[in-house]
Amino acid sequence: MIPLNEQNLQELKETCEDLGLKKFRAKQLFHYFHKEGGQDLSQMTTLAKNQRQELLALDLPKVDIEQVFPSKIDKTKKFLFHLKDGHLVEGVLMDNDYGLSQCISSQVGCRMGCSFCASTKEGRIRNLTPYEMLGQVYEVTKKYGRLHSIILMGSGEPLDNYDNVMRFLDLLHDENGYNLSYRNMTLSTCGVVPGIEKLAQENKPINLAISLHTPFQKDREKIMAVAKKYSLEDLFKAIDFYQEASKRRVSYEYTLIDGVNNREKDALELKKLLGGRLHHLNLIPLNPIQEYKENRPSKDHVRDFQRLCTDLGLNVTLRREQGGDIQASCGQLRRKYKEGSLV
Ligand code: SF4
């Protein structure tokens, strides 16, 4: 049976019937899990004790905040979440002008092998279940208030955990629960082509972000293992298919690595790739990790590259650096925490 806190309302109604509970209990349960962010049925006072007893025997996924790491330089907070089996995943809460935005993890570890990313160094350990993603949202909301938006850009490749991610987004969207618009959800992928094609057919206005990082196939293969499986050509065919279906702008994440992808020829090639497409190019200066010590470009180099792209007519922004003092890039915090080297 799907865990109770991962069932949609219809499924919960059927479960309640099977358990000999009145159908209206389904709405109470859904409200408890997804509106109140409740995780402990023994505390659900709208249910009589004898009814709770039966439900308490069911095993439910759970998420707790293990530790919060507030930035000293801005309002960004980083989290380690503790899962029932002892695994840790991380998340980031950013305080933007328009509201709170949270970066969510979709897997413990990742098997995509991007060379600049700490999350992938031990491979994919396991997928997160829908509730293990919801719980990240609910626990942070209880502490800091309602989120404006979420971004699936923490550890893990969301399209490598497709069904659980879709169930997570649908439950988060449900008007009887958290009621977050699909338009306020962003799914970031390193370029899993079949997943993008599948997403295109969902007919949900979820924002798509592509981790591009270089416009050249050969260079991309060097820093992103996924590029060996799905070429840039196939990736852009899938993006076109997605844009045709959704009519939505696609964002491109571009980590700037000095001398690797911030040359003039990179900007010119980006123009060729993105110029004719509805796009938003997001530049992110590299956060070096232990195993990937390539250079972070200087502020001047970053600005030069941004100007180059702007002059070429690209729609480009520089990601405001948030929480730079708290191991803000994906996977770094969890690794350091486990190594005991966090100060
Ligand atoms: S950047 Fe994303 S897709 Fe690539 S290895 Fe890290 S978590 Fe996986």
Side-chain angles (χ1 to χ4, degrees):
M1 183 170 81
I2 301 170
L4 288 185
N5 53 4
E6 299 187 341
Q7 293 187 16
N8 62 34
L9 194 52
Q10 186 51 38
E11 290 163 340
L12 265 181
K13 280 182 186 162
E14 286 159 23
T15 304
C16 282
E17 263 197 323
D18 291 348
L19 295 172
L21 296 171
K22 294 263 186 307
K23 263 192 185 174
F24 75 88
R25 295 289 180 205
K27 214 161 184 179
Q28 287 181 331
L29 281 164
F30 197 88
H31 189 277
Y32 176 71
F33 292 135
H34 303 291
K35 206 128 192 153
E36 293 174 33
Q39 301 202 79
D40 181 0
L41 285 175
S42 68
Q43 304 296 314
M44 189 179 158
T45 45
T46 45
L47 277 182
K49 234 182 179 172
N50 60 335
Q51 291 165 333
R52 267 184 266 160
Q53 226 43 45
E54 192 165 358
L55 296 176
L56 279 176
L58 301 170
D59 192 30
L60 299 185
K62 197 169 179 288
V63 176
D64 292 308
I65 295 177
E66 168 94 5
Q67 204 164 325
V68 185
F69 302 84
S71 166
K72 293 188 185 76
I73 52 178
D74 57 34
K75 291 183 185 166
T76 306
K77 291 172 187 66
K78 197 138 191 196
F79 302 88
L80 277 175
F81 297 102
H82 183 266
L83 309 176
K84 231 174 165 177
D85 60 1
H87 282 307
L88 297 170
V89 290
E90 54 192 79
V92 189
L93 182 67
M94 292 153 286
D95 196 340
N96 300 306
D97 303 339
Y98 51 82
L100 295 174
S101 186
Q102 188 180 345
C103 182
I104 310 286
S105 287
S106 57
Q107 296 176 318
V108 183
C110 181
R111 61 172 173 169
M112 292 296 142
C114 304
S115 51
F116 46 82
C117 172
S119 291
T120 198
K121 299 303 166 197
E122 296 161 58
R124 180 185 63 182
I125 297 167
R126 71 169 176 85
N127 285 332
L128 294 196
T129 71
Y131 189 82
E132 287 173 333
M133 293 176 258
L134 286 166
Q136 296 173 50
V137 173
Y138 298 162
E139 289 307 292
V140 165
T141 297
K142 281 190 267 177
K143 223 170 149 83
Y144 299 101
R146 185 175 167 83
L147 302 180
H148 167 273
S149 46
I150 61 124
I151 318 156
L152 277 156
M153 206 188 274
S155 69
E157 162 55 58
L159 295 180
D160 191 34
N161 184 15
Y162 192 92
D163 292 342
N164 285 347
V165 163
M166 280 307 136
R167 183 173 276 267
F168 155 59
L169 297 177
D170 290 344
L171 286 168
L172 195 63
H173 174 70
D174 197 300
E175 60 181 3
N176 296 295
Y178 202 86
N179 195 14
L180 189 71
S181 163
Y182 287 124
R183 291 179 187 278
N184 293 17
M185 303 177 185
T186 299
L187 185 153
S188 172
T189 174
C190 63
V192 179
V193 165
I196 297 170
E197 290 167 348
K198 219 167 156 190
L199 187 68
Q201 295 166 63
E202 293 281 348
N203 206 12
K204 292 170 188 156
I206 297 164
N207 303 301
L208 178 65
I210 305 284
S211 296
L212 185 61
H213 306 312
T214 164
F216 293 109
Q217 175 63 24
K218 283 269 165 305
D219 291 350
R220 202 160 186 268
E221 284 176 21
K222 281 185 210 148
I223 54 173
M224 299 179 77
V226 71
K228 292 182 192 144
K229 189 159 184 193
Y230 305 113
S231 68
L232 271 177
E233 200 187 333
D234 289 343
L235 175 59
F236 275 91
K237 270 190 205 150
I239 291 170
D240 288 342
F241 178 61
Y242 171 86
Q243 288 201 299
E244 187 59 40
S246 68
K247 309 278 179 260
R248 294 183 71 74
R249 184 177 79 167
V250 170
S251 299
Y252 296 88
E253 307 294 322
Y254 197 93
T255 299
L256 282 170
I257 311 165
D258 206 25
V260 173
N261 63 1
N262 65 342
R263 304 154 299 184
E264 188 179 0
K265 67 175 187 175
D266 295 304
L268 290 168
E269 195 64 20
L270 279 173
K271 164 76 179 167
K272 278 195 216 160
L273 271 184
L274 307 184
R277 294 179 165 96
L278 206 55
H279 70 275
H280 170 231
L281 177 63
N282 199 8
L283 304 178
I284 314 150
L286 174 75
N287 246 334
I289 60 167
Q290 214 172 325
E291 299 82 354
Y292 189 77
K293 294 208 182 329
E294 294 295 330
N295 281 341
R296 178 188 171 89
S298 67
K299 280 197 173 134
D300 282 351
H301 281 172
V302 170
R303 243 176 271 126
D304 288 349
F305 192 75
Q306 185 183 10
R307 201 169 307 123
L308 204 54
C309 292
T310 309
D311 292 348
L312 287 167
L314 292 170
N315 178 16
V316 58
T317 50
L318 179 63
R319 182 180 298 167
R320 186 164 62 91
E321 216 176 334
Q322 302 193 60
D325 56 329
I326 41 168
Q327 315 292 335
S329 69
C330 161
Q332 291 184 39
L333 184 66
R334 174 174 162 269
R335 266 170 78 78
K336 297 221 167 177
Y337 188 79
K338 279 174 67 190
E339 287 163 3
S341 57
L342 267 181
V343 281

